Amino acid sequence: MHSGKVVGSVDRRRIELAEQLRKLLVVWGTTPAAPAPAPATGATALLKRAVKGAATPAAGIGNELLDALLAVANQALKCGYDDELNLALVISDTVLAQRKNSRAGWRLRARLMEALGEDAEALDAYEKYLGLTDDDGFGVRARIAGLRTAADRERALLALLRRQCPRAEEFTRGDATAVWAEGLAAHAVGDWAAAEPRLVGALLALDDAPVTDRQELLSQYLDLRIAADTDVTALPELTEVLALYAEQRRSRMRGPVADPAIGGVQWISLGEFRNRIAGKSICLIANSGRVGASSMGAEIDAYDLVVRFNSYRIDPKHTGSRTDIHATIHKHGFNWEKQVDTRLVFGGVSGDWKWSLRNRLVPGAQTCLGDESLRWPVRNIGKLSTDVWSGIPTTGFNMLYLLDFLDVSPKLDLIGFDFYESGAYRVQEAMKLAITSVHEYTSEKAWVMDRAQSVTDMRISLR
């Protein structure tokens, strides 16, 4: 049913959802199971079901079907519309009813409850997720800390508004929606003295409403107050309110950090990165099953610089223990807390890349950080357009292309690169991530082999 709703959509997120739905239907077509009953629809039913519990699920979910269901739910959550949230909720209910110890299921549930503004349920789901894993690869502990800090700051903000606007108390006992409307009407005719206590009173009365609703109304109130407070003597009080609002918003986005200024990191450009690697032997370590059984740890650590990717996993006997350069796509947060000399974050869209740096970078975990000149090497440095290179370049290929382009390393070796023929070898939380079809692994392999000076079972040398 939902597949029909996204046909012809111009929203890129829904187009990607349609693709995941097609994959799910293929899996479903080969899985003997009865479909679940049709869910209630609409935002009201959605919120009621989110609070009251799960629907009756279909019996029996195999691993392949489970992965396909979760892929649909995660993409639906990215869309954010009521219909998609309802779809994600149906899947969450079904998965957890069948697999009550599913880590992916509980993390999905937590993110969904956050999207619905049900922070108490989100925290409960996040705690259940942490109880089922030893590896917090998705930064859930920081997420929990952020939500709790945000709730504390929001309570402090509302208490401050109560003190600053004592008349608001008389409007806390009426219907919050009606009181808010009265406040907007008073503001529309220029009567801020009558509008503010009603607006603040409505905010104070909404302490049980979903967080998303409270945040939206707080934002509207502050916009109106900023426009209305023209008296310079009122600025200190307004500044105090804005500071608390900003802190709770920031905490909700990424959790508290010791240094929000990224820990005094040194930003490096293309030329500065070149100078740091010039004359040094470099090895790039694949996240492949072949590396995980290689017994090459000592050889790997003997290189001047060791480069690892995304969700790399350390097993000193096989992988070596050092990581000098961590190259990662901006969309994932794996290993960003691991201490490295240089972290290069790759991303195709400048705005999304900047957002990820602000919200995923861990202060103090890197000495140097690549700036925008190093953001997307294949496209921005190599100038390979989609006409020349149609696939989205992998993190490994971006890094290799950059090193080959700079051409300042006397030794440049790829260890364990079999382009996932031996499967993935990653941190536990990333093991179920799909080896995505958007990358041109065949083309990347051909590019590498065209430039290889020598090839063995474990090592491809480009220099």
Side-chain angles (χ1 to χ4, degrees):
M1 288 172 62
H2 200 89
S3 295
K5 296 178 182 179
V6 296
V7 171
S9 175
V10 296
D11 188 325
R12 176 175 55 84
R13 296 168 300 177
R14 276 184 159 164
I15 294 171
E16 293 173 0
L17 173 60
E19 176 61 24
Q20 293 301 332
L21 282 164
R22 281 192 290 272
K23 292 179 181 178
L24 170 60
L25 291 173
V26 169
V27 175
W28 177 250
T30 59
T31 303
T41 58
T44 302
L46 173 61
L47 288 172
K48 285 182 178 177
R49 289 187 57 240
V51 173
K52 292 185 178 178
T56 302
I61 299 179
N63 290 337
E64 188 178 7
L65 181 56
L66 175 66
D67 290 344
L69 280 166
L70 290 171
V72 169
N74 284 316
Q75 187 57 46
L77 189 55
K78 292 179 183 178
C79 292
Y81 304 115
D82 279 350
D83 280 352
E84 275 71 34
L85 293 178
N86 195 31
L87 177 64
L89 189 60
V90 170
I91 294 173
S92 172
D93 290 344
T94 303
V95 167
L96 291 177
Q98 291 290 327
R99 299 278 192 98
K100 61 182 180 181
N101 289 328
S102 168
R103 290 174 301 183
W106 281 114
R107 182 169 171 266
L108 168 66
R109 186 73 172 189
R111 293 166 59 224
L112 179 57
M113 291 301 104
E114 262 199 86
L116 295 173
E118 301 291 341
D119 276 12
E121 290 199 32
L123 286 167
D124 182 60
Y126 277 135
E127 292 284 6
K128 285 185 170 65
Y129 166 83
L130 284 179
L132 295 167
T133 183
D134 296 324
D135 189 354
D136 185 18
F138 292 104
V140 169
R141 288 185 179 86
R143 198 86 200 97
I144 290 173
L147 290 176
R148 287 178 173 158
T149 299
D152 289 342
R153 298 300 181 269
E154 186 181 345
R155 283 191 290 271
L157 172 57
L158 293 174
L160 177 60
L161 292 178
R162 190 187 296 270
R163 294 194 301 272
Q164 290 185 352
C165 189
R167 284 186 57 209
E169 197 66 39
E170 63 185 273
F171 298 101
T172 59
R173 291 176 289 277
D175 178 73
T177 302
V179 171
W180 182 265
E182 292 173 5
L184 292 179
H187 174 266
V189 297
D191 190 356
W192 180 246
E196 184 173 27
R198 288 170 171 80
L199 296 174
V200 174
L203 288 170
L204 296 175
L206 284 172
D207 55 346
D208 291 331
V211 173
T212 45
D213 292 350
R214 298 201 307 269
Q215 291 292 303
E216 182 178 351
L217 294 182
L218 268 171
S219 176
Q220 290 181 29
Y221 163 73
L222 289 174
D223 284 342
L224 296 175
R225 179 167 172 178
I226 289 169
D229 276 356
T230 57
D231 185 356
V232 175
T233 60
L235 286 179
E237 288 189 350
L238 176 60
T239 300
E240 189 177 3
V241 170
L242 291 174
L244 276 173
Y245 176 78
E247 189 175 356
Q248 59 98 25
R249 289 289 291 177
R250 182 170 59 247
S251 296
R252 199 172 297 283
M253 288 180 69
R254 66 162 292 171
V257 294
D259 185 351
I262 317 183
V265 69
Q266 177 186 344
W267 293 85
I268 57 172
S269 64
L270 174 63
E272 290 165 328
F273 177 72
R274 176 193 181 280
N275 293 339
R276 293 183 70 83
I277 67 171
K280 297 180 179 179
S281 62
I282 301 177
C283 65
L284 293 78
I285 311 302
N287 297 340
S288 68
R290 187 170 294 182
V291 168
S294 68
S295 298
M296 289 187 63
E299 288 184 62
I300 289 170
D301 284 338
Y303 284 81
D304 294 328
L305 296 174
V306 178
V307 182
R308 302 187 196 272
F309 304 102
N310 296 316
S311 52
Y312 68 85
R313 177 177 168 185
I314 293 293
D315 179 349
K317 177 182 177 181
H318 301 295
T319 68
S321 56
R322 278 185 24 243
T323 306
D324 301 295
I325 301 172
H326 179 212
T328 179
I329 190 68
H330 77 92
K331 293 182 177 181
H332 296 155
F334 298 111
N335 291 322
W336 289 43
E337 79 286 357
K338 300 294 176 58
Q339 185 67 47
V340 296
D341 178 74
T342 302
R343 184 162 277 112
L344 299 184
V345 181
F346 299 141
V349 179
S350 178
D352 293 346
W353 176 79
K354 290 174 181 175
W355 188 95
S356 292
L357 290 185
R358 287 195 298 269
N359 291 286
R360 290 197 171 103
L361 206 68
V362 177
Q366 53 279 308
T367 303
C368 298
L369 178 66
D371 68 9
E372 192 145 13
S373 67
L374 291 162
R375 172 174 61 81
W376 206 224
V378 172
R379 302 291 192 215
N380 298 345
I381 296 173
K383 305 299 182 184
L384 298 186
S385 67
T386 53
D387 294 336
V388 178
W389 195 275
S390 59
I392 297 175
T394 62
T395 302
F397 188 58
N398 266 302
M399 187 71 217
L400 179 58
Y401 190 94
L402 173 63
L403 295 174
D404 183 73
F405 173 85
L406 292 173
D407 195 20
V408 292
S409 304
K411 193 172 186 179
L412 183 57
D413 290 349
L414 287 69
I415 307 295
F417 274 74
D418 58 11
F419 304 90
Y420 290 112
E421 291 174 6
S422 62
Y425 187 74
R426 304 163 169 160
V427 294
Q428 186 61 40
E429 290 304 315
M431 281 303 290
K432 282 201 170 185
L433 291 180
I435 298 175
T436 177
S437 60
V438 299
H439 300 305
E440 289 283 351
Y441 294 108
T442 303
S443 299
E444 293 186 3
K445 182 177 182 178
W447 187 95
V448 169
M449 292 306 179
D450 284 346
R451 291 159 178 78
Q453 300 296 310
S454 67
V455 179
T456 67
D457 184 52
M458 283 300 301
R459 194 187 323 259
I460 302 173
S461 297
L462 270 64
R463 299 288 186 276

